[in-house]
Amino acid sequence: RQCVYMLASGSAHTLPLRALLRGVRLRACRRLLSSTSGAASAARSIVPEAPWYLRRPVRVFRVAVLGFTLYQTGKAAGHTEALQDPDGMVKTLVKAILESQHVSSRGAKPEAHGADSPLQVHVKAVGERVLAATRAWVAHETARLEAELEAAKARGEYLGDLRDHLRDLRAGAERIAGEWTWLVTNSEGVNAFVSPYCPRHVFVHEGLLHALTPTEDELAFLIAHELSHVVFAHGERQLEHTAIAATGSSS
């Protein structure tokens, strides 16, 4: 009766999480609940001891749930902060990314070129043209897949792959929508990249422009490559894989 009361009142609901955080196993949880007078049999039915072949999968599942919960909590907090001060949040993200990717043999601090910098003007002009072409391609592919989907429906064919591809393209169209920022950094690294942490930003290292001296077509190719990561959500998927790998190693 007391166990039922604990479950109904919510006090027992927090017990597994506390036990997980303190490293207490299911057996200890069972003993803790069974210590309540008259609740031994009910406690065993509520928190049974897992067979030996299920203990590791159970631990992995518990760690995964905890990791997902913490991720969602941090994501919600980040959304709240971004809504309260969106410009400040973007500046903080850009600063952190510049620092993490910075390479300098002279000890220069990481910074982005000004809007009037010739390199900045050139990269932005090429980037805007590539972005427009990318949006046009996504729109064309979306229309083509929609037509293929309707034709496949009429023939009674399997639609799963077409639907998945169409869903991914529509999501990609949303990711490349809006206003974009093109940043040339003073890093000596030979690199250009996008980051899932800072959407609608393309970073180009000054070192790449000096070392390779790309033509306009070559620079367009580099930027198109980075935009393809955005369209097909490569950065988000890499984050998911990293989180899963970290969860598995921590178990």
Side-chain angles (χ1 to χ4, degrees), residues 135-155:
R135 289 170 175 166
W137 179 85
V138 171
H140 177 270
E141 283 296 297
T142 300
R144 183 181 66 80
L145 284 177
E146 287 174 344
E148 284 189 15
L149 186 64
E150 292 300 322
K153 281 183 182 179
R155 294 191 298 267

Side-chain angles (χ1 to χ4, degrees), residues 151-168:
K153 281 183 182 179
R155 294 191 298 267
E157 296 178 354
Y158 175 71
L159 306 177
D161 292 340
L162 280 174
R163 283 175 174 169
D164 291 343
H165 195 182
L166 184 57
R167 180 198 61 212
D168 292 343

Side-chain angles (χ1 to χ4, degrees), residues 202-226:
V202 175
F203 300 83
V204 180
H205 287 178
E206 180 182 311
L208 181 147
L209 300 175
H210 289 325
L212 303 182
T213 58
T215 65
E216 186 169 312
D217 289 342
E218 291 169 341
L219 180 59
F221 178 85
L222 291 171
I223 293 177
H225 172 78
E226 299 307 324

Side-chain angles (χ1 to χ4, degrees), residues 8 17 43 50 52 69 73 80 101 107 137 151 162 169 177 201 207 210 251:
L17 180 57
W52 65 268
T69 302
T73 302
T80 301
Q101 300 291 325
W137 179 85
L162 280 174
L169 272 180
H201 283 67
H210 289 325
S251 63

Side-chain angles (χ1 to χ4, degrees), residues 10 15 70 101 121 127 153 174 180 206 213 243:
L15 182 59
L70 294 176
Q101 300 291 325
V121 172
K153 281 183 182 179
E174 294 178 2
W180 280 67
E206 180 182 311
T213 58

Side-chain angles (χ1 to χ4, degrees), residues 106-121:
R106 306 183 304 273
K109 294 183 178 180
E111 59 182 16
H113 283 227
D116 297 332
S117 164
L119 290 178
Q120 175 69 34
V121 172

Side-chain angles (χ1 to χ4, degrees), residues 27 40 45 50 67 90 92 101 146 167 233:
R27 185 180 304 169
S45 64
V90 170
T92 300
Q101 300 291 325
E146 287 174 344
R167 180 198 61 212

Side-chain angles (χ1 to χ4, degrees), residues 37-54:
S37 176
S41 60
R44 291 191 182 95
S45 64
I46 294 174
V47 189
E49 183 176 356
W52 65 268
Y53 54 83
L54 289 180

